[in-house]
Amino acid sequence: MKRIDHIALQVNNVKESVAWYMDNYDCMILHCDDTWGYLQFDNIKLALVTEGEHPPHIAFEVDEVDGVKHRDGSVSKYIEDNSGNKIELIKYGD
């Protein structure tokens, strides 16, 4: 499987940005703390991240990846495309 899982945007304040998206768009909060917000829309997830914690990126869900295990059980790693854009390859736990 290779599909777009989420897009990550850098924001100045995660909690304020989560509130703005909730007020202006029909979405659901999957996670929110001071460094990372995760919103579910009908067709895609949006990550709101702070500079230095996570790079802005697009994430593709893949079947296998050799990377870092996260608190939610997913495993991912970052690569770059030929223009230097960050891409996250992510596999969720079974």
Side-chain angles (χ1 to χ4, degrees):
M1 174 188 328
K2 290 184 181 161
R3 66 176 183 92
I4 294 175
D5 182 67
H6 67 269
I7 301 203
L9 302 175
Q10 277 188 351
V11 297
N12 296 324
N13 183 299
V14 171
K15 290 181 180 178
E16 287 177 6
S17 295
V18 164
W20 186 87
Y21 278 93
M22 293 295 295
D23 288 345
N24 289 284
Y25 298 96
D26 186 21
C27 58
M28 179 177 63
I29 298 173
L30 298 176
H31 179 85
C32 184
D33 64 27
D34 290 333
T35 65
W36 182 57
Y38 208 34
L39 302 173
Q40 177 71 57
F41 293 81
D42 285 341
N43 61 338
I44 197 164
K45 292 176 274 192
L46 176 64
L48 303 171
V49 300
T50 56
E51 186 175 359
E53 288 290 326
H54 308 275
H57 63 273
I58 186 169
F60 291 93
E61 186 175 353
V62 296
D63 293 329
E64 294 297 326
V65 64
D66 182 26
V68 176
K69 187 169 185 174
H70 302 284
R71 59 186 160 207
D72 66 358
S74 65
V75 177
S76 74
K77 75 174 180 179
Y78 288 100
I79 61 172
E80 291 185 355
D81 70 10
N82 61 331
S83 295
N85 297 300
K86 297 288 185 200
I87 296 172
E88 182 181 21
L89 303 176
I90 189 165
K91 179 184 184 300
Y92 292 98
D94 299 323

